[in-house]
């Protein structure tokens, strides 16, 4: 399809598509004449990915570029590349020497504590805020949250594609776009449960 | 305790505490002399709440004021007040006439679709992004996410305090501070499950 059809098909403005092409986020089309190029389904898909990263996940263009570079060149160690791709997602948290609250929670859940993984610092900050708010993650709440989140994560990982580039794209996008889905579902479930339980 | 002790005890700078007092976010202490006031445990707790709202949940001072006003004056209809307090939390989403994706998901989960509730618009936007990213919430993913999120929400609501002001504070803070906790736990569970499953 022509670039104008690509814009129409995806709803992304022509000027934005040209900007992504210049910035290297979107691969060039196949040149069919001096000023004409042909775009395919992979361009439609890539625009959806860029939109999901920049709009839903709130990444800057520079962060989206980092993630897309990892998708395009996954490297040999898939697990390591996955970790680096997820670490590019917000929220950015200043690294520390130790994460005592996160360590206690992770060990209690029987998982391996590895402070190099970005989500450990994110968990520490979130736990600190919960503690300051007077509703720390401990006791039965920790058991309940841990068990149900793990069940969700097991489902997610079972769907991971075998192809390394597709796997990284799936992992990053699945983390980024499903976090707000899960948060909104929880708010709505609160409303539904409360409407039945409250006097 | 004196205001200087309150600062020391909570780690909130003295200038910030004075600012909260001037802005009416923190109630005044009990005057014991012309330039001296006594602060108590309720001030320690309130500072934790303000910090959780503005730092962890990312609310502006104006939004925090809205939430605290609802906590301080819950009104007669607890369910309605809860809804208004949760609606003050980010993300702010432009209202629309209809939310077709959210409606389909909510009905599939057997919950009541009420477009006046702010989380419906949030869910619609999140579902749109997931669709654009090529991993829509449908089929088994919808069943799995829906069931586990509902179990978490049932636990949350079972802990809700009976006192209306405490209930609103708990609902708002629990929504705000536990969303990042759940997101970080999911990222860490992904890492743990993947490290066992990947070659």
């Amino acid at each position: 399809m022509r670039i104008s059809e690509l814009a129409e098909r995806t709803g992304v403005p022509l000027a934005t598509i040209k900007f992504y092409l210049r910035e290297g986020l979107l691969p060039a089309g196949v040149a069919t004449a001096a000023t004409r190029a042909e775009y395919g389904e992979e361009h439609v898909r890539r625009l959806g990915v860029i939109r999901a990263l920049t709009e839903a996940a709130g990444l800057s263009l520079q962060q989206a570029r980092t993630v897309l570079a990892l998708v395009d060149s996954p490297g040999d160690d898939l697990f390591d590349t996955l970790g680096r791709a997820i670490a590019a997602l917000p929220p950015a948290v200043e690294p520390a020497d130790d994460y005592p609250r996160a360590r206690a929670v992770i060990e209690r859940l029987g998982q391996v504590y590895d402070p190099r993984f970005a989500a450990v610092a994110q968990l520490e900050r979130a736990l600190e805020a919960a503690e300051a708010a007077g509703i720390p993650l401990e006791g039965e709440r920790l058991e309940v949250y841990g068990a149900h989140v793990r069940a969700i994560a097991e489902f997610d990982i079972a769907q991971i594609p075998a192809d390394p580039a597709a796997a990284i794209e799936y992992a990053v996008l699945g983390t980024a776009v499903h976090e707000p889905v899960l948060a909104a579902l929880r708010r709505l479930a609160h409303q539904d449960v409360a409407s039945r339980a409250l006097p």
Side-chain angles (χ1 to χ4, degrees), chain A:
Chain A
M1 70 193 93
R2 307 270 301 267
I3 193 168
S4 55
E5 292 171 76
L6 181 62
E8 202 172 313
R9 174 82 185 277
T10 57
V12 179
L14 194 60
T16 306
I17 295 181
K18 287 182 175 172
F19 175 70
Y20 290 156
L21 285 167
R22 276 199 307 277
E23 293 287 316
L25 292 169
L26 186 69
V30 177
T32 53
T35 60
R36 200 185 273 196
E38 188 68 17
Y39 296 87
E41 286 308 313
E42 70 279 19
H43 292 91
V44 173
R45 169 127 189 75
R46 181 72 161 222
L47 282 173
V49 171
I50 295 172
R51 243 187 94 190
L53 291 176
T54 55
E55 292 176 24
L59 267 65
S60 68
L61 271 195
Q62 186 50 47
Q63 290 169 321
R65 196 195 311 277
T66 303
V67 169
L68 291 170
L70 292 165
V71 170
D72 293 337
S73 310
D76 288 336
D77 186 335
L78 180 57
F79 187 69
D80 177 67
T81 312
L82 279 172
R84 286 194 289 140
I86 298 296
L89 295 178
V93 178
E94 283 294 310
D97 286 338
D98 190 27
Y99 306 98
R101 295 173 186 83
R103 182 152 39 102
V105 163
I106 290 167
E107 286 173 357
R108 177 66 187 267
L109 292 174
Q111 296 176 189
V112 176
Y113 172 73
D114 183 345
R116 290 169 302 177
F117 195 61
V120 173
Q122 291 160 3
L123 180 61
E124 181 72 15
R125 192 173 71 169
L127 291 173
E128 205 180 333
E131 209 175 281
I135 32 178
L137 184 69
E138 59 186 23
E140 200 186 345
R141 185 181 299 277
L142 171 54
E143 304 298 329
V144 171
Y145 283 15
H148 289 291
V149 167
R150 188 168 184 97
I152 287 171
E154 278 171 355
F155 174 82
D156 292 331
I157 298 294
Q159 317 293 316
I160 206 166
D163 171 66
I168 291 162
E169 190 183 289
Y170 167 83
V172 172
L173 292 177
T175 300
V177 304
H178 289 145
E179 282 175 6
V181 166
L182 289 163
L185 285 177
R186 177 164 170 259
R187 292 187 187 191
L188 290 166
H190 282 156
Q191 189 196 30
D192 192 66
V193 175
S195 73
R196 293 164 207 263
L198 291 181

